[in-house]
Amino acid sequence: MCGICGIFNLTLEPVAHRERIDAMSERIVHRGPDSHGKFELPHLALAIRRLSIIDLATGDQPLSNESGDVTLVFNGEIYNYRELREPLLARGHKFKTHSDGEVIAHLYEERGPDFVRELNGMFAIALWDERAKRLVLARDRAGEKPLYYWRSNNTLVFGSEIKALFEYPGLSRRIDREALAQYFFYGYFPAPRSVYAEIQKLPAAHTMIVERGEIRIDCYWRLQEYLRPPGGPRVSARVEAELVEELRARLREAAISRLVSDVPLGVFLSGGVDSSTLVATMSELTPGNVNTFSVAFPEKSFNEELYANLVARHFNTRHHVLPADEKNLREALDILAGHLDEPVADPAVIPTYLLSRFARSEIKVALSGEGSDELFGGYPTYLGARLAEYYLRLPRFVRRQFFDRLKRFLPVSSTAVPKGLFLRRFLTHAERDPAERHHIWFGMFNPAELDQLFSPEWCGPKPPSSVIFAPLAHVLEGTQFDEPVAEMLYLDFRMYLEDNLLVKIDRASMACSLELRTPFLDHRLVEFAAGLPASLRVRRFQLKYLLKKAVEKWLPHEIGYRQKRGFSVPIASWMKEGLRGYLDETLAEEKLKRDGLFNATFVRRLLEEHWSSRADHRKTLWTLLSFQLWYDRWGKSGS
């Protein structure tokens, strides 16, 4: 795992401020503290900060082919590099290292920019072709590794994190107003936007080809090509049994491929189905020799220690538990404010950081279960989509009466699974378009709240709610689904996973120089899951139906069929108690009025309602707090 950055002049004139490449690289040293490399031409500068995982002795970057006319830096891991290397050797290619990255240079010689189609891995790549005078940037299929860029006239600047780009002179720090409205709705910035108007993300599964003064961005892998077409045949019991066996084989294959390493590995273990499955596959290969790491919260409804310990004992792992309390949660919040150069509204970034820092004292690589929920149907909102099918069959006047009576009895709760909050959102928005409804259920501020959030001076004549659904239309273009749940799964993979979960785990783990690998995102497994009927992923009101069938013989029953909690923080109660003063100070009414972005009176009302337990505003307030911490650190000074 590494961090990369670069500066390029599109017309091949000497690049301005080329000397800034060293400062850019220094800003991302946490991503790769083991070595520093650089490649320079008059019109190009590439730099790499390396975290050594494979080929510790000779794998430093930049890497090149034998003639030196193809040179690259890359962040990530290529898991099938050995399989790719052998035929390349047979065709006469000469290798100088045993690293996974050198395969990229030789593969490019044969395939050109299409080389990315052969890679199984997570990566952000910058490759220079001297003969063609071509720069190629590429990101992996799911978007595990980040790549941001800025263009001004003939200058292109890019890097693994935004903070590296800001070392180059002349970048504007103007906030993108539409992107900000989308952040407060989704809790993240849908690609290709970032919080800054002039900085964009290269989307997942895309390449950027820069040659002859032009930039072309191409998609090399489309998940919609693997979706089950509407009206497909019903799956028989025999076919279902075959799919269970195939899923087991693909899970093993994905996990085994991600064990390639020359340094110690471990697993982030919550005690849920996903992480426990990874422990099971690792333990099959190295029984009694697996390191597992968990966080324990004092709050009962958030604490999964019982389940994690059960799995650790079952597989005889070397289990490590980090107790988490308000003191170290607050410490992590302060540290992350300096690392997150773009707001992240997912509170799970805090325990992810703490667990990464804790694990880094023992290992350099950890496996994590991200992607399973989006592929196999793990979120309660999918049950909401199922329930909506039945609810919408009732006459409208019956639905109205039902809602009016029930909402008076819905509790305000601080637990990890706030049923009252979910039910309120479900009943209020059940009649909307399924894609919009899903994101309102899942999201932060609903459209009506969003239009109250910003000050009139900031949002201007266009209401913020008018721009929030544009990313949905873009992602859904050209797609068809066999039922609404399939559409939700697709959207969560393309948006929530790419722009929230993977951003969260990348920033939190790389802040600690720890590499996180996600076996569920092996593209062969992703393609298999995309082709499954939604009814095999969410069977009536059972989440992860097929996955649980596949792993039930590997896991204790109480693990395989327990209720999902997710990896989160008790923020609802924390904001009422230990974090109340910090929240009050950060979102102080006079302070917000001076900043001029928000309707300070509306924000104060949210705080008062939450503190008095008249409402559960955990999501909206955490999204505000996360933004304001970023804004105080990065948005004002740009430091």
Side-chain angles (χ1 to χ4, degrees):
M1 194 67 64
C2 309
I4 64 172
C5 54
I7 310 167
F8 182 58
N9 183 286
L10 276 67
T11 59
L12 305 184
E13 297 293 322
V15 67
H17 309 293
R18 193 182 65 184
E19 76 285 353
R20 298 305 300 167
I21 193 69
D22 291 323
M24 291 171 64
S25 176
E26 183 64 29
R27 289 304 297 269
I28 52 174
V29 65
H30 53 278
R31 298 186 69 92
D34 294 335
S35 68
H36 172 237
K38 187 166 60 171
F39 174 77
E40 291 185 285
L41 297 169
H43 51 273
L44 172 69
L46 302 176
I48 170 79
R49 287 285 177 174
R50 185 185 181 214
L51 181 65
S52 306
I53 304 296
I54 295 174
D55 189 9
L56 307 185
T58 65
D60 283 349
Q61 301 182 41
L63 296 160
S64 63
N65 62 343
E66 52 270 76
S67 59
D69 53 20
V70 175
T71 302
L72 69 103
V73 293
F74 97 105
N75 166 28
E77 302 291 348
I78 310 302
Y79 302 120
N80 64 335
Y81 79 98
R82 289 171 177 164
E83 296 91 324
L84 294 170
R85 180 186 174 100
E86 291 307 315
L88 289 168
L89 285 168
R91 290 194 291 271
H93 291 266
K94 306 296 182 186
F95 284 77
K96 293 172 282 190
T97 76
H98 296 283
S99 71
D100 55 332
E102 191 180 357
V103 166
I104 297 171
H106 297 284
L107 198 61
Y108 174 85
E109 285 186 276
E110 300 219 346
R111 297 288 308 272
D114 278 348
F115 75 94
V116 287
R117 301 178 187 272
E118 303 295 319
L119 302 180
N120 179 4
M122 55 177 181
F123 52 82
I125 299 168
L127 179 149
W128 172 248
D129 179 344
E130 177 62 28
R131 289 186 182 182
K133 306 299 182 188
R134 175 192 295 151
L135 178 69
V136 180
L137 307 182
R139 272 187 85 194
D140 63 76
R141 292 168 178 84
E144 294 182 67
K145 294 295 102 191
L147 195 59
Y148 293 88
Y149 68 93
W150 171 81
R151 180 187 178 176
S152 178
N153 298 319
N154 292 322
T155 300
L156 177 70
V157 181
F158 56 90
S160 296
E161 296 183 15
I162 291 173
K163 60 177 68 69
L165 275 61
F166 278 141
E167 290 298 325
Y168 190 86
L171 270 77
S172 166
R173 296 156 197 254
R174 178 170 54 88
I175 292 174
D176 184 329
R177 294 183 185 227
E178 289 193 10
L180 192 61
Q182 291 167 6
Y183 162 80
F184 278 101
F185 177 61
Y186 296 102
Y188 52 87
F189 295 89
R193 292 181 185 271
S194 79
V195 67
Y196 296 105
E198 294 188 6
I199 296 175
Q200 292 193 299
K201 295 176 271 193
L202 182 65
H206 280 67
T207 56
M208 177 188 288
I209 313 296
V210 191
E211 56 184 335
R212 293 187 288 275
E214 299 294 331
I215 292 178
R216 186 177 81 248
I217 296 177
D218 297 325
C219 181
Y220 66 87
W221 181 83
R222 290 178 171 84
L223 183 61
Q224 56 262 50
E225 294 176 4
Y226 302 93
L227 296 174
R228 177 182 171 86
R234 185 176 178 274
V235 175
S236 67
R238 180 182 61 80
V239 172
E240 181 181 312
E242 292 171 355
L243 289 171
V244 166
E245 288 302 320
E246 184 176 356
L247 178 52
R248 286 194 189 111
R250 289 178 178 270
L251 286 169
R252 282 196 183 97
E253 181 182 45
I256 290 169
S257 70
R258 278 147 182 80
L259 300 182
V260 177
S261 175
D262 294 331
V263 297
L265 298 94
V267 182
F268 281 7
L269 176 61
S270 68
V273 174
D274 310 328
S275 60
S276 300
T277 296
L278 300 181
V279 173
T281 52
M282 280 188 74
S283 297
E284 187 178 317
L285 294 172
T286 57
N289 195 36
V290 177
N291 282 290
T292 51
F293 301 85
S294 297
V295 172
F297 289 104
E299 292 82 354
K300 183 178 178 181
S301 70
F302 288 83
N303 191 10
E304 299 187 286
E305 186 179 8
L306 173 68
Y307 300 104
N309 288 342
L310 191 158
V311 174
R313 288 195 303 271
H314 184 82
F315 292 104
N316 191 28
T317 72
R318 294 199 291 266
H319 192 47
H320 312 264
V321 179
L322 173 68
D325 55 24
E326 285 192 1
K327 181 180 178 182
N328 52 26
L329 289 172
R330 171 66 186 275
E331 176 198 10
L333 189 60
D334 290 337
I335 293 171
L336 286 168
H339 274 282
L340 297 175
D341 45 23
E342 190 171 41
V344 174
D346 189 340
V349 70
I350 296 176
T352 304
Y353 168 78
L354 290 172
L355 195 55
S356 297
R357 188 175 66 177
F358 178 57
R360 186 61 176 84
S361 62
E362 300 280 339
I363 58 173
K364 278 180 111 173
V365 180
L367 303 189
S368 184
E370 270 72 22
S372 174
D373 289 319
E374 295 78 11
L375 293 173
F376 296 104
Y379 295 126
T381 43
Y382 306 142
L383 300 181
R386 284 270 184 263
L387 187 60
E389 296 174 22
Y390 299 100
Y391 179 69
L392 293 175
R393 292 174 190 170
L394 297 172
R396 184 182 293 271
F397 77 92
V398 174
R399 297 200 299 266
R400 287 294 96 202
Q401 288 182 357
F402 176 73
F403 182 25
D404 289 341
R405 292 181 181 181
L406 182 62
K407 66 182 179 182
R408 289 177 290 176
F409 301 100
L410 294 177
V412 176
S413 170
S414 297
T415 61
V417 185
K419 295 181 177 64
L421 176 61
F422 287 165
L423 276 171
R424 285 176 193 276
R425 288 195 172 196
F426 169 80
L427 293 167
T428 304
H429 303 287
E431 298 176 19
R432 296 186 69 114
D433 168 80
E436 295 180 2
R437 177 185 70 194
H438 176 67
H439 282 89
I440 294 172
W441 286 347
F442 212 14
M444 307 303 157
F445 286 80
N446 67 45
E449 293 169 334
L450 198 61
D451 288 340
Q452 298 178 71
L453 174 63
F454 294 99
S455 69
E457 297 76 19
W458 169 258
C459 65
K462 186 189 294 185
S465 62
S466 66
V467 302
I468 57 177
F469 295 121
L472 292 182
H474 173 71
V475 170
L476 290 174
E477 185 178 358
T479 56
Q480 289 183 302
F481 304 94
D482 58 350
E483 60 167 294
V485 170
E487 185 177 9
M488 309 304 101
L489 289 158
Y490 177 79
L491 283 169
D492 286 344
F493 186 92
R494 289 287 314 278
M495 296 180 66
Y496 180 66
L497 177 73
E498 176 183 340
D499 294 316
N500 184 328
L501 296 184
L502 296 180
V503 172
K504 171 196 73 179
I505 67 169
D506 175 82
R507 301 306 186 277
S509 62
M510 293 313 296
C512 308
S513 306
L514 178 79
E515 176 176 302
L516 274 189
R517 298 179 179 180
T518 51
F520 284 101
L521 295 181
D522 186 299
H523 72 273
R524 299 163 299 183
L525 181 58
V526 171
E527 291 162 6
F528 168 80
L532 293 171
S535 60
L536 285 184
R537 296 189 266 179
V538 181
R539 171 66 61 87
R540 297 185 182 89
F541 293 102
Q542 182 181 341
L543 298 172
K544 291 186 178 173
Y545 171 77
L546 195 73
L547 178 63
K548 290 178 178 179
K549 291 272 286 188
V551 303
E552 63 184 1
K553 70 178 187 180
W554 296 347
L555 304 179
H557 184 271
E558 54 267 54
I559 296 298
Y561 289 92
R562 56 172 290 221
Q563 180 187 358
K564 178 180 178 60
R565 287 189 182 169
F567 189 44
S568 194
V569 178
I571 57 170
S573 58
W574 191 22
M575 288 191 291
K576 292 178 184 178
E577 298 162 4
L579 201 64
R580 177 168 175 163
Y582 188 65
L583 194 66
D584 193 20
E585 179 184 350
T586 306
L587 300 178
E589 195 165 1
E590 289 304 314
K591 179 171 178 283
L592 296 187
K593 287 178 180 177
R594 287 196 303 272
D595 291 342
L597 274 67
F598 301 120
N599 175 349
T601 304
F602 175 67
V603 173
R604 180 53 45 173
R605 194 188 84 202
L606 295 178
L607 288 167
E608 296 294 345
E609 289 178 351
H610 187 82
W611 288 335
S612 65
S613 297
R614 298 198 305 275
D616 182 353
H617 293 310
R618 71 178 77 183
K619 282 192 164 190
T620 52
L621 289 176
W622 189 264
T623 307
L624 269 165
L625 177 65
S626 300
F627 172 81
Q628 195 63 40
L629 290 174
W630 168 85
Y631 187 68
D632 291 344
R633 173 68 174 80
W634 297 93
K636 295 178 181 179
S637 65
S639 57

